[in-house]
Amino acid sequence: MQLRVRWWTYLMVVVVGLVILAPFAWMVITALMTTAQTLQIPPSVIPTPPTLDGVQQVLEKLPFLRLLGNTVVVSIGRALLTLIICSLAAYALAIIKVRGARIILLVVLTLIMVPSDIFIIPSFSIVSALHLTNTLAALVLPNIFDVFGVFLLYQFFRGIPRELIEAARIDGASHARILFTIVVPVSRSGLIALAILTVLNEWKELLWPIVVNRDVDQLTLGPGIALLRGTAVTDWNVLMSAGVMAALPMILIFLLLQRNFVSSFATSGLK
């Protein structure tokens, strides 16, 4: 039976979409203004004329390309390690069904509700003991285990037909071969979704890089952009320009992979 979509449904979608996009649109508009235009009262809605002075000042005040490179390296490293560790953990819980799997899964679900900020002090103690402070490795290693990622992949792996796994076991396939040749390809959309979420979390990370690293050259975009905020006066066009420049890569990634991202949650059993 085909459901009929009423006109007010489209109206609600448009209104919600405009509310969500309004802050980003205001950020883009402010980024195209001069400093004087951002201080006008009443505020100007349309930059006259549009200018890219904010972008130029961002490149002058910050090593933006270095921060962007650090963010890309850290995000890719964290995503790859997270995919490996979460895949192994989810495989053990969903396919092998190790002893105490239900208890472990309950612990995982409990940890999802625990704020990650409470782990900052023990994570810093471990990183400091390993003499990894003020390095990019310190930004990657404490965050490679993602409890939500384990639960997400568990949902995917659990839906794989058991007969397929048993047939591979009869043929003499090891657990590693089953994981990387059968389970991972079947769960590709879930892995892509987890990778996008991991990169997004790292891209907007602010607190941990400031805690563990001191040099600007070892920071990522989040804390780097925060340095543009002045103590007395802030050039909002410069700050918004940096925000737009930092957000564009993630917007492009999401637009390219949005079909996999949406379908992953539609087929994983998560509502």
Side-chain angles (χ1 to χ4, degrees), residues 26 29 33 43-47:
W26 184 257
I29 291 173
M33 293 181 178
S44 177
V45 179
I46 300 176

Side-chain angles (χ1 to χ4, degrees), residues 158-213:
R158 171 174 87 160
I160 298 175
R162 193 69 187 180
E163 295 78 8
L164 187 63
I165 305 297
E166 293 298 334
R169 293 292 295 166
I170 293 174
D171 291 338
S174 63
H175 286 299
R177 184 175 180 182
I178 294 174
L179 173 61
F180 292 108
T181 61
I182 297 177
V183 176
V184 167
V186 172
S187 307
R188 182 180 61 180
S189 59
L191 293 169
I192 293 176
L194 178 57
I196 293 176
L197 291 174
T198 303
V199 171
L200 179 61
N201 288 334
E202 185 59 46
W203 208 270
K204 63 184 180 65
E205 184 67 45
L206 177 62
L207 182 58
W208 175 246
I210 295 177
V211 170
V212 77
N213 287 351

Side-chain angles (χ1 to χ4, degrees), residues 43-74:
S44 177
V45 179
I46 300 176
T48 52
T51 178
L52 295 178
D53 289 343
V55 176
Q56 183 178 357
Q57 294 185 50
V58 170
L59 298 177
E60 291 176 354
K61 295 180 177 181
L62 284 180
F64 186 84
L65 296 180
R66 178 62 183 269
L67 297 176
L68 178 61
N70 292 344
T71 308
V72 171
V73 170
V74 172

Side-chain angles (χ1 to χ4, degrees), residues 83 152-153 156-157 183-197 257-268:
L83 290 178
L152 177 64
L153 295 184
F156 275 91
F157 293 178
V183 176
V184 167
V186 172
S187 307
R188 182 180 61 180
S189 59
L191 293 169
I192 293 176
L194 178 57
I196 293 176
L197 291 174
L257 301 176
Q258 62 173 331
R259 184 169 300 178
N260 299 90
F261 185 79
V262 174
S263 64
S264 65
F265 287 98
T267 59
S268 66

Side-chain angles (χ1 to χ4, degrees), residues 109-240:
L109 293 175
T110 304
L111 288 175
I112 292 178
M113 297 179 286
V114 177
S116 59
D117 291 345
I118 68 173
F119 299 109
I120 287 181
I121 294 178
S123 296
F124 180 80
S125 299
I126 295 173
V127 170
S128 179
L130 295 174
H131 303 288
L132 292 177
T133 56
N134 214 30
T135 64
L136 295 182
L139 304 181
V140 177
L141 295 179
N143 301 311
I144 57 177
F145 180 76
D146 188 342
V147 288
F148 175 76
V150 173
F151 178 67
L152 177 64
L153 295 184
Y154 170 83
Q155 293 290 95
F156 275 91
F157 293 178
R158 171 174 87 160
I160 298 175
R162 193 69 187 180
E163 295 78 8
L164 187 63
I165 305 297
E166 293 298 334
R169 293 292 295 166
I170 293 174
D171 291 338
S174 63
H175 286 299
R177 184 175 180 182
I178 294 174
L179 173 61
F180 292 108
T181 61
I182 297 177
V183 176
V184 167
V186 172
S187 307
R188 182 180 61 180
S189 59
L191 293 169
I192 293 176
L194 178 57
I196 293 176
L197 291 174
T198 303
V199 171
L200 179 61
N201 288 334
E202 185 59 46
W203 208 270
K204 63 184 180 65
E205 184 67 45
L206 177 62
L207 182 58
W208 175 246
I210 295 177
V211 170
V212 77
N213 287 351
R214 297 299 180 185
D215 293 343
V216 176
D217 291 339
Q218 298 297 328
L219 295 178
T220 52
L221 282 173
I225 293 176
L227 296 176
L228 294 174
R229 186 177 177 88
T231 56
V233 178
T234 299
D235 294 331
W236 292 107
N237 60 322
V238 179
L239 189 62
M240 295 299 112

